[in-house]
Amino acid sequence: MPDPILFGFEGPSGCILGRGPAQRIAPGTAATLASRIAAVALDPDEIIGGALPFDREAADCLWQCRRDKARAPLASVQGGLPLAGWRLTAEPSACDYAQAVSRALGIMADEAGRSDALEKIVLARTLLVESAAPVPIEALMAQLRADRSVTAFRVALPWGADHPQGRALCGATPELLVEKQGRRVLSHPLAGSARRLADPAADRAAAAALAQSAKDQREHALVVESILDILAPYCRDLSCPEGTRLTSTRSMWHLGTRIEGRLKDGDTPSVVLASALHPTPAVCGVPTARAAELIKTIEPVARDYYAGAVGWCDAKGDGAWHVAIRCAEVSGRRARLYAGAGIVPGSDPMAEAAETGAKFGALLAALGLPQDAALQDLPCDGET
């Protein structure tokens, strides 16, 4: 029997697997990560990988283990899907989420004109999926990796009495937070989204509307500016040579900007760059600290590792880290799915609720469940 997979990533840039036996890097916060990584001695065949939480003051989950050189796939097809005897619980419901969006828009309106005014906030909601049998992670990952436009990932998370069967963060993210190879550094932030449609003409129209949306362009620009500001002190050169373009997965259209740079210090570990960058305005807001505090008071379920970062780093510091979106925390018979939407002045509460429902689609489809299950309570009755 091969050693268990501690973490794995498979996407456009290839497949990376970290297998046990492993040891966990002493957990700590973003403020201590650089010194903790510097104290780790990696052999050439070892890598560090795992997950950074959304909350920068929460403990990370990083594993030191050997890199699988066999280039085996992230998962093989196995049984167990579609899920049987399943039920969904939305936390909050789409209608309650729309009310939260209205609350956030009210805060923005009240603060308009202030130097520290809230410009953007990303609000998330969850779907708790419960099934009659344990959720089959291998089969789930086999479904997620079928979309070659995204990076499918799985990361083993800490577990205890609340998760006797263990737990893992599984997903298919379209967003590269940072990739580092030698002195070369890349980032490809996404912000501004529209649902893909089955009819080709309607799908093209949705893409065109997104490209021309002033609201979405404004939301996207906030993210790009933040990443450029954070990466600038690390880089000699930094640019966006292609500008902002449309990009897509099987279920969503996005606005994306490819950022390229050259590091001053080629030994800077990719995980340290990831820690400096996250959470970006694409998953948090502007100003970041203000948005993060409001998220704690508005969202009913803690994000944990959702909207943080997942990735890997080798002995040279090279590696890639992705924004932990389009994901679910899986433990036994439960899978908690996460989705969020960026709220800026001009956002429509019902449209933002529908966007989160569309973003659940990839994980719901991978589990063999109806992709529109998260939209069953839309439209809402009454005012939001």
Side-chain angles (χ1 to χ4, degrees), residues 119-120 191-193 206-222 225 244 255 342-347 352:
E119 299 180 57
K120 173 184 176 179
S193 306
L210 175 62
Q212 298 167 9
S213 167
K215 174 261 181 186
D216 289 287
Q217 290 283 353
R218 185 168 64 252
E219 177 187 344
H220 184 78
L222 290 171
E225 289 169 6
T244 299
L255 296 178
I343 314 304
V344 295
S347 291
E352 302 297 347

Side-chain angles (χ1 to χ4, degrees), residues 138-328:
E138 289 289 329
L140 171 61
M141 296 312 303
Q143 293 295 318
L144 292 175
R145 61 189 282 267
D147 185 348
R148 297 301 183 181
S149 66
V150 301
T151 295
F153 67 89
R154 59 188 291 185
V155 175
L157 298 177
W159 64 89
D162 293 339
H163 305 90
Q165 295 177 291
R167 60 179 182 143
L169 190 68
C170 303
T173 176
E175 187 167 2
L176 175 66
L177 180 63
V178 65
E179 180 179 354
K180 183 255 179 185
Q181 296 292 329
R183 291 186 181 273
R184 180 171 171 264
V185 65
L186 299 174
S187 181
H188 195 184
L190 307 179
S193 306
R195 187 177 188 179
R196 300 288 310 263
L197 301 172
D199 176 75
D203 192 47
R204 289 193 297 270
L210 175 62
Q212 298 167 9
S213 167
K215 174 261 181 186
D216 289 287
Q217 290 283 353
R218 185 168 64 252
E219 177 187 344
H220 184 78
L222 290 171
V223 178
V224 175
E225 289 169 6
S226 174
I227 291 178
L228 289 171
D229 287 345
I230 293 171
L231 283 180
Y234 293 93
C235 294
R236 290 179 177 172
D237 305 300
L238 196 60
S239 65
C240 307
E242 300 175 354
T244 299
R245 296 185 174 187
L246 283 171
T247 184
S248 66
T249 67
R250 286 184 174 181
S251 59
M252 300 295 297
W253 287 103
H254 297 287
L255 296 178
T257 298
R258 181 182 173 90
I259 298 172
E260 301 179 3
R262 182 172 175 80
L263 294 171
K264 297 175 182 176
D265 181 0
D267 293 329
T268 304
S270 61
V271 65
V272 172
L273 295 172
S275 179
L277 285 167
H278 97 284
T280 74
V283 293
C284 185
V286 178
T288 302
R290 171 87 168 109
E293 286 302 314
L294 282 172
I295 285 170
K296 291 179 182 179
T297 65
I298 294 176
E299 293 181 4
V301 179
R303 293 191 177 189
D304 204 8
Y305 293 96
Y306 163 70
V310 290
W312 62 278
C313 180
D314 66 15
K316 297 179 181 178
D318 293 345
W321 293 80
H322 305 267
V323 182
I325 53 176
R326 310 293 196 277
C327 61

